[in-house]
């Protein structure tokens, strides 16, 4: 099946008279949000090992493998950390966020803006965490600082 443009889908939703009408017609167009499946795709595309990604994402092996095996669902910050683990570009990371059901990085959010900057500068996760910390915004990897992040 050919992928339909977002604009086309948006128009179909706006002009539908009943939810059943567009839900049935669009069922194959919705993004499925199984992070483990997307992580498996990225392993193949990026030619990296799970252990390399987990290490670069600053995750403990037990938690990292649970994400890859689908036993745990990573939150948005952990998806971003995994994006750094895969050494994704900004565009690739935003695709990963969308495909796993999370909001893309938003330039008007100060935490997100610094992550966007770090990605554009090709910072690794440690350097990105240092930048976020420098501005009093917590970090991507520190559990205790997640409350500093804006919910998305």
């Amino acid at each position: 099946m050919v992928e339909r443009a977002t604009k086309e889908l948006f128009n179909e939703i706006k002009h539908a008279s009943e939810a059943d009408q567009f839900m049935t017609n669009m069922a194959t167009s919705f993004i499925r949000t199984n992070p483990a499946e997307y992580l498996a795709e990225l392993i193949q595309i990026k030619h990296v090992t799970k252990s390399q990604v987990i290490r670069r994402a600053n995750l403990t092996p037990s938690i990292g493998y649970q994400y890859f095996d689908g036993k745990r669902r990573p939150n948005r910050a952990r998806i971003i950390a995994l994006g750094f683990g895969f050494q994704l570009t900004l565009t690739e990371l935003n695709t990963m966020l969308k495909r796993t059901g999370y909001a893309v990085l938003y330039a008007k959010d100060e935490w997100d803006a610094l992550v966007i900057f770090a990605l554009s500068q090709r910072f690794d996760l440690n350097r990105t965490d240092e930048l976020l910390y420098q501005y009093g915004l917590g970090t991507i990897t520190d559990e205790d600082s997640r409350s500093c992040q804006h919910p998305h």
Side-chain angles (χ1 to χ4, degrees):
M1 171 168 231
V2 176
E3 187 171 325
R4 296 164 64 198
T6 302
K7 189 174 182 179
E8 180 186 340
L9 298 173
F10 187 77
N11 281 330
E12 189 168 331
I13 294 168
K14 280 180 32 180
H15 295 98
S17 56
E18 294 182 24
D20 285 347
Q21 178 185 344
F22 72 82
M23 289 299 286
T24 302
N25 294 345
M26 296 172 49
T28 59
S29 299
F30 291 126
I31 294 173
R32 299 294 176 226
T33 59
N34 182 339
E37 288 176 16
Y38 192 67
L39 295 174
E41 279 181 46
L42 283 176
I43 287 287
Q44 298 302 314
I45 293 167
K46 293 293 185 176
H47 306 291
V48 291
T49 64
K50 292 176 187 177
S51 63
Q52 288 172 317
V53 173
I54 290 167
R55 186 175 58 255
R56 289 190 294 226
N58 290 344
L59 298 171
T60 61
S62 62
I63 289 176
Y65 284 108
Q66 287 177 32
Y67 293 154
F68 278 99
D69 296 340
K71 293 179 181 157
R72 273 180 96 149
R73 180 181 174 80
N75 63 22
R76 185 175 185 264
R78 291 288 173 90
I79 287 289
I80 293 169
L82 286 162
F84 277 93
F86 279 106
Q87 299 179 320
L88 300 180
T89 65
L90 173 59
T91 301
E92 290 169 331
L93 180 56
N94 274 334
T95 297
M96 183 180 190
L97 286 164
K98 280 191 266 188
R99 290 272 312 269
T100 56
Y102 292 106
V104 297
L105 292 167
Y106 182 55
K108 289 188 175 184
D109 178 283
E110 60 187 345
W111 191 92
D112 283 10
L114 285 172
V115 174
I116 292 167
F117 173 79
L119 287 165
S120 67
Q121 298 295 312
R122 304 300 293 158
F123 286 10
D124 67 6
L125 184 56
N126 290 329
R127 193 161 172 205
T128 304
D129 273 350
E130 288 171 12
L131 182 66
L132 289 164
Y133 187 79
Q134 175 187 340
Y135 283 88
L137 297 171
T139 63
I140 295 169
T141 56
D142 182 13
E143 278 298 323
D144 296 330
S145 72
R146 284 201 213 295
S147 59
C148 298
Q149 297 174 34
H150 301 283
H152 294 281

mmCIF file of all heavy atoms in Angstrom, residues 68-97:
data_model
loop_
_atom_site.group_PDB
_atom_site.id
_atom_site.type_symbol
_atom_site.label_atom_id
_atom_site.label_comp_id
_atom_site.label_asym_id
_atom_site.label_seq_id
_atom_site.Cartn_x
_atom_site.Cartn_y
_atom_site.Cartn_z
ATOM 1 N N PHE A 68 14.760 -3.207 24.085
ATOM 2 C CA PHE A 68 14.923 -3.888 22.800
ATOM 3 C C PHE A 68 14.033 -5.124 22.697
ATOM 4 O O PHE A 68 13.560 -5.456 21.617
ATOM 5 C CB PHE A 68 16.384 -4.275 22.563
ATOM 6 C CG PHE A 68 17.219 -3.145 22.023
ATOM 7 C CD1 PHE A 68 18.021 -2.396 22.862
ATOM 8 C CD2 PHE A 68 17.193 -2.827 20.668
ATOM 9 C CE1 PHE A 68 18.792 -1.351 22.362
ATOM 10 C CE2 PHE A 68 17.952 -1.786 20.159
ATOM 11 C CZ PHE A 68 18.760 -1.044 21.016
ATOM 12 N N ASP A 69 13.813 -5.795 23.820
ATOM 13 C CA ASP A 69 12.989 -7.012 23.829
ATOM 14 C C ASP A 69 11.499 -6.722 23.974
ATOM 15 O O ASP A 69 10.678 -7.643 23.938
ATOM 16 C CB ASP A 69 13.431 -7.941 24.963
ATOM 17 C CG ASP A 69 14.853 -8.453 24.773
ATOM 18 O OD1 ASP A 69 15.368 -8.410 23.627
ATOM 19 O OD2 ASP A 69 15.459 -8.880 25.782
ATOM 20 N N GLY A 70 11.146 -5.462 24.178
ATOM 21 C CA GLY A 70 9.739 -5.097 24.310
ATOM 22 C C GLY A 70 9.154 -5.396 25.677
ATOM 23 O O GLY A 70 7.937 -5.351 25.856
ATOM 24 N N LYS A 71 9.996 -5.684 26.654
ATOM 25 C CA LYS A 71 9.499 -5.984 28.005
ATOM 26 C C LYS A 71 9.214 -4.709 28.790
ATOM 27 O O LYS A 71 8.484 -4.740 29.777
ATOM 28 C CB LYS A 71 10.512 -6.844 28.756
ATOM 29 C CG LYS A 71 10.636 -8.229 28.139
ATOM 30 C CD LYS A 71 11.654 -9.075 28.855
ATOM 31 C CE LYS A 71 11.736 -10.434 28.176
ATOM 32 N NZ LYS A 71 12.981 -11.101 28.410
ATOM 33 N N ARG A 72 9.825 -3.605 28.365
ATOM 34 C CA ARG A 72 9.590 -2.289 28.967
ATOM 35 C C ARG A 72 9.452 -1.272 27.854
ATOM 36 O O ARG A 72 10.095 -1.394 26.821
ATOM 37 C CB ARG A 72 10.791 -1.860 29.821
ATOM 38 C CG ARG A 72 10.763 -2.344 31.226
ATOM 39 C CD ARG A 72 11.984 -1.847 31.945
ATOM 40 N NE ARG A 72 11.689 -0.622 32.685
ATOM 41 C CZ ARG A 72 12.297 -0.289 33.806
ATOM 42 N NH1 ARG A 72 13.253 -1.048 34.286
ATOM 43 N NH2 ARG A 72 11.992 0.816 34.420
ATOM 44 N N ARG A 73 8.617 -0.272 28.100
ATOM 45 C CA ARG A 73 8.455 0.805 27.117
ATOM 46 C C ARG A 73 9.254 2.025 27.593
ATOM 47 O O ARG A 73 8.990 2.547 28.678
ATOM 48 C CB ARG A 73 6.978 1.167 26.980
ATOM 49 C CG ARG A 73 6.737 2.270 25.973
ATOM 50 C CD ARG A 73 5.253 2.620 25.870
ATOM 51 N NE ARG A 73 5.081 3.757 25.011
ATOM 52 C CZ ARG A 73 5.090 3.712 23.679
ATOM 53 N NH1 ARG A 73 5.267 2.555 23.072
ATOM 54 N NH2 ARG A 73 4.936 4.808 22.969
ATOM 55 N N PRO A 74 10.197 2.486 26.776
ATOM 56 C CA PRO A 74 10.969 3.666 27.190
ATOM 57 C C PRO A 74 10.112 4.928 27.154
ATOM 58 O O PRO A 74 9.239 5.063 26.293
ATOM 59 C CB PRO A 74 12.084 3.748 26.137
ATOM 60 C CG PRO A 74 11.629 2.930 24.986
ATOM 61 C CD PRO A 74 10.628 1.943 25.501
ATOM 62 N N ASN A 75 10.352 5.823 28.111
ATOM 63 C CA ASN A 75 9.652 7.108 28.076
ATOM 64 C C ASN A 75 10.326 8.008 27.032
ATOM 65 O O ASN A 75 11.278 7.603 26.368
ATOM 66 C CB ASN A 75 9.619 7.751 29.471
ATOM 67 C CG ASN A 75 10.998 8.078 30.016
ATOM 68 O OD1 ASN A 75 11.974 8.219 29.276
ATOM 69 N ND2 ASN A 75 11.094 8.202 31.326
ATOM 70 N N ARG A 76 9.844 9.215 26.873
ATOM 71 C CA ARG A 76 10.371 10.104 25.828
ATOM 72 C C ARG A 76 11.860 10.379 26.016
ATOM 73 O O ARG A 76 12.632 10.345 25.060
ATOM 74 C CB ARG A 76 9.583 11.419 25.812
ATOM 75 C CG ARG A 76 9.998 12.360 24.678
ATOM 76 C CD ARG A 76 9.080 13.588 24.648
ATOM 77 N NE ARG A 76 9.348 14.453 23.518
ATOM 78 C CZ ARG A 76 10.134 15.535 23.581
ATOM 79 N NH1 ARG A 76 10.712 15.879 24.726
ATOM 80 N NH2 ARG A 76 10.308 16.287 22.501
ATOM 81 N N ALA A 77 12.282 10.671 27.254
ATOM 82 C CA ALA A 77 13.696 10.951 27.494
ATOM 83 C C ALA A 77 14.566 9.739 27.147
ATOM 84 O O ALA A 77 15.655 9.885 26.590
ATOM 85 C CB ALA A 77 13.912 11.370 28.951
ATOM 86 N N ARG A 78 14.090 8.552 27.469
ATOM 87 C CA ARG A 78 14.860 7.342 27.146
ATOM 88 C C ARG A 78 14.900 7.096 25.645
ATOM 89 O O ARG A 78 15.893 6.596 25.118
ATOM 90 C CB ARG A 78 14.291 6.128 27.883
ATOM 91 C CG ARG A 78 14.506 6.183 29.397
ATOM 92 C CD ARG A 78 15.977 5.957 29.740
ATOM 93 N NE ARG A 78 16.285 6.158 31.138
ATOM 94 C CZ ARG A 78 16.241 5.231 32.066
ATOM 95 N NH1 ARG A 78 15.855 4.011 31.772
ATOM 96 N NH2 ARG A 78 16.560 5.515 33.309
ATOM 97 N N ILE A 79 13.822 7.431 24.931
ATOM 98 C CA ILE A 79 13.844 7.324 23.466
ATOM 99 C C ILE A 79 14.904 8.276 22.914
ATOM 100 O O ILE A 79 15.682 7.928 22.018
ATOM 101 C CB ILE A 79 12.449 7.622 22.854
ATOM 102 C CG1 ILE A 79 11.483 6.464 23.113
ATOM 103 C CG2 ILE A 79 12.549 7.929 21.353
ATOM 104 C CD1 ILE A 79 11.772 5.194 22.312
ATOM 105 N N ILE A 80 14.954 9.482 23.468
ATOM 106 C CA ILE A 80 15.962 10.453 23.030
ATOM 107 C C ILE A 80 17.362 9.919 23.334
ATOM 108 O O ILE A 80 18.262 9.996 22.492
ATOM 109 C CB ILE A 80 15.709 11.831 23.670
ATOM 110 C CG1 ILE A 80 14.399 12.418 23.107
ATOM 111 C CG2 ILE A 80 16.886 12.773 23.445
ATOM 112 C CD1 ILE A 80 13.878 13.651 23.823
ATOM 113 N N ALA A 81 17.543 9.345 24.527
ATOM 114 C CA ALA A 81 18.839 8.751 24.872
ATOM 115 C C ALA A 81 19.202 7.648 23.881
ATOM 116 O O ALA A 81 20.347 7.565 23.414
ATOM 117 C CB ALA A 81 18.808 8.201 26.301
ATOM 118 N N LEU A 82 18.235 6.811 23.532
ATOM 119 C CA LEU A 82 18.481 5.753 22.548
ATOM 120 C C LEU A 82 18.833 6.353 21.192
ATOM 121 O O LEU A 82 19.675 5.820 20.464
ATOM 122 C CB LEU A 82 17.268 4.826 22.437
ATOM 123 C CG LEU A 82 17.086 3.864 23.608
ATOM 124 C CD1 LEU A 82 15.661 3.308 23.653
ATOM 125 C CD2 LEU A 82 18.108 2.737 23.554
ATOM 126 N N GLY A 83 18.208 7.471 20.856
ATOM 127 C CA GLY A 83 18.558 8.170 19.615
ATOM 128 C C GLY A 83 20.023 8.572 19.605
ATOM 129 O O GLY A 83 20.717 8.422 18.593
ATOM 130 N N PHE A 84 20.511 9.062 20.749
ATOM 131 C CA PHE A 84 21.936 9.368 20.858
ATOM 132 C C PHE A 84 22.756 8.082 20.763
ATOM 133 O O PHE A 84 23.834 8.070 20.182
ATOM 134 C CB PHE A 84 22.244 10.104 22.168
ATOM 135 C CG PHE A 84 21.997 11.587 22.093
ATOM 136 C CD1 PHE A 84 20.775 12.120 22.472
ATOM 137 C CD2 PHE A 84 22.991 12.446 21.640
ATOM 138 C CE1 PHE A 84 20.543 13.479 22.408
ATOM 139 C CE2 PHE A 84 22.770 13.816 21.571
ATOM 140 C CZ PHE A 84 21.538 14.336 21.953
ATOM 141 N N GLY A 85 22.225 7.010 21.330
ATOM 142 C CA GLY A 85 22.916 5.721 21.253
ATOM 143 C C GLY A 85 23.086 5.238 19.824
ATOM 144 O O GLY A 85 24.090 4.630 19.471
ATOM 145 N N PHE A 86 22.093 5.529 18.988
ATOM 146 C CA PHE A 86 22.157 5.169 17.570
ATOM 147 C C PHE A 86 22.913 6.212 16.744
ATOM 148 O O PHE A 86 23.111 6.026 15.559
ATOM 149 C CB PHE A 86 20.744 5.022 16.991
ATOM 150 C CG PHE A 86 20.082 3.709 17.267
ATOM 151 C CD1 PHE A 86 19.063 3.608 18.194
ATOM 152 C CD2 PHE A 86 20.466 2.559 16.584
ATOM 153 C CE1 PHE A 86 18.433 2.394 18.440
ATOM 154 C CE2 PHE A 86 19.838 1.344 16.820
ATOM 155 C CZ PHE A 86 18.828 1.262 17.751
ATOM 156 N N GLN A 87 23.273 7.330 17.388
ATOM 157 C CA GLN A 87 23.933 8.465 16.726
ATOM 158 C C GLN A 87 23.064 9.011 15.583
ATOM 159 O O GLN A 87 23.526 9.231 14.464
ATOM 160 C CB GLN A 87 25.338 8.083 16.243
ATOM 161 C CG GLN A 87 26.234 7.682 17.398
ATOM 162 C CD GLN A 87 27.627 7.260 16.971
ATOM 163 O OE1 GLN A 87 27.814 6.577 15.972
ATOM 164 N NE2 GLN A 87 28.615 7.664 17.754
ATOM 165 N N LEU A 88 21.787 9.230 15.900
ATOM 166 C CA LEU A 88 20.832 9.712 14.913
ATOM 167 C C LEU A 88 20.993 11.211 14.666
ATOM 168 O O LEU A 88 21.420 11.956 15.549
ATOM 169 C CB LEU A 88 19.394 9.450 15.385
ATOM 170 C CG LEU A 88 19.001 7.998 15.642
ATOM 171 C CD1 LEU A 88 17.542 7.924 16.095
ATOM 172 C CD2 LEU A 88 19.224 7.138 14.407
ATOM 173 N N THR A 89 20.602 11.630 13.486
ATOM 174 C CA THR A 89 20.507 13.051 13.184
ATOM 175 C C THR A 89 19.224 13.582 13.814
ATOM 176 O O THR A 89 18.375 12.799 14.260
ATOM 177 C CB THR A 89 20.439 13.290 11.664
ATOM 178 O OG1 THR A 89 19.217 12.712 11.168
ATOM 179 C CG2 THR A 89 21.645 12.691 10.936
ATOM 180 N N LEU A 90 19.047 14.890 13.783
ATOM 181 C CA LEU A 90 17.821 15.492 14.302
ATOM 182 C C LEU A 90 16.597 14.946 13.565
ATOM 183 O O LEU A 90 15.610 14.566 14.193
ATOM 184 C CB LEU A 90 17.884 17.019 14.162
ATOM 185 C CG LEU A 90 16.603 17.774 14.504
ATOM 186 C CD1 LEU A 90 16.157 17.509 15.934
ATOM 187 C CD2 LEU A 90 16.796 19.259 14.252
ATOM 188 N N THR A 91 16.668 14.883 12.256
ATOM 189 C CA THR A 91 15.545 14.370 11.465
ATOM 190 C C THR A 91 15.243 12.920 11.829
ATOM 191 O O THR A 91 14.087 12.543 12.018
ATOM 192 C CB THR A 91 15.848 14.485 9.960
ATOM 193 O OG1 THR A 91 16.088 15.863 9.659
ATOM 194 C CG2 THR A 91 14.697 13.971 9.109
ATOM 195 N N GLU A 92 16.288 12.111 11.959
ATOM 196 C CA GLU A 92 16.102 10.697 12.316
ATOM 197 C C GLU A 92 15.514 10.553 13.713
ATOM 198 O O GLU A 92 14.650 9.704 13.947
ATOM 199 C CB GLU A 92 17.427 9.947 12.230
ATOM 200 C CG GLU A 92 17.946 9.769 10.816
ATOM 201 C CD GLU A 92 19.380 9.254 10.771
ATOM 202 O OE1 GLU A 92 20.166 9.534 11.706
ATOM 203 O OE2 GLU A 92 19.717 8.570 9.786
ATOM 204 N N LEU A 93 15.985 11.385 14.657
ATOM 205 C CA LEU A 93 15.462 11.303 16.022
ATOM 206 C C LEU A 93 14.002 11.734 16.065
ATOM 207 O O LEU A 93 13.183 11.096 16.736
ATOM 208 C CB LEU A 93 16.297 12.137 16.993
ATOM 209 C CG LEU A 93 15.822 12.104 18.441
ATOM 210 C CD1 LEU A 93 15.750 10.681 18.995
ATOM 211 C CD2 LEU A 93 16.703 12.955 19.318
ATOM 212 N N ASN A 94 13.642 12.784 15.337
ATOM 213 C CA ASN A 94 12.239 13.197 15.301
ATOM 214 C C ASN A 94 11.364 12.112 14.684
ATOM 215 O O ASN A 94 10.248 11.870 15.143
ATOM 216 C CB ASN A 94 12.069 14.533 14.575
ATOM 217 C CG ASN A 94 12.284 15.708 15.506
ATOM 218 O OD1 ASN A 94 12.082 15.600 16.710
ATOM 219 N ND2 ASN A 94 12.681 16.832 14.955
ATOM 220 N N THR A 95 11.871 11.416 13.675
ATOM 221 C CA THR A 95 11.130 10.288 13.094
ATOM 222 C C THR A 95 10.959 9.197 14.146
ATOM 223 O O THR A 95 9.871 8.635 14.300
ATOM 224 C CB THR A 95 11.866 9.734 11.858
ATOM 225 O OG1 THR A 95 11.910 10.766 10.859
ATOM 226 C CG2 THR A 95 11.166 8.500 11.299
ATOM 227 N N MET A 96 12.016 8.910 14.895
ATOM 228 C CA MET A 96 11.953 7.902 15.956
ATOM 229 C C MET A 96 10.906 8.295 17.008
ATOM 230 O O MET A 96 10.113 7.454 17.445
ATOM 231 C CB MET A 96 13.329 7.744 16.606
ATOM 232 C CG MET A 96 13.411 6.690 17.668
ATOM 233 S SD MET A 96 15.104 6.670 18.315
ATOM 234 C CE MET A 96 15.056 5.200 19.311
ATOM 235 N N LEU A 97 10.906 9.558 17.404
ATOM 236 C CA LEU A 97 9.919 10.019 18.385
ATOM 237 C C LEU A 97 8.496 9.846 17.844
ATOM 238 O O LEU A 97 7.622 9.337 18.545
ATOM 239 C CB LEU A 97 10.188 11.487 18.765
ATOM 240 C CG LEU A 97 11.395 11.705 19.672
ATOM 241 C CD1 LEU A 97 11.822 13.171 19.672
ATOM 242 C CD2 LEU A 97 11.109 11.225 21.087
#
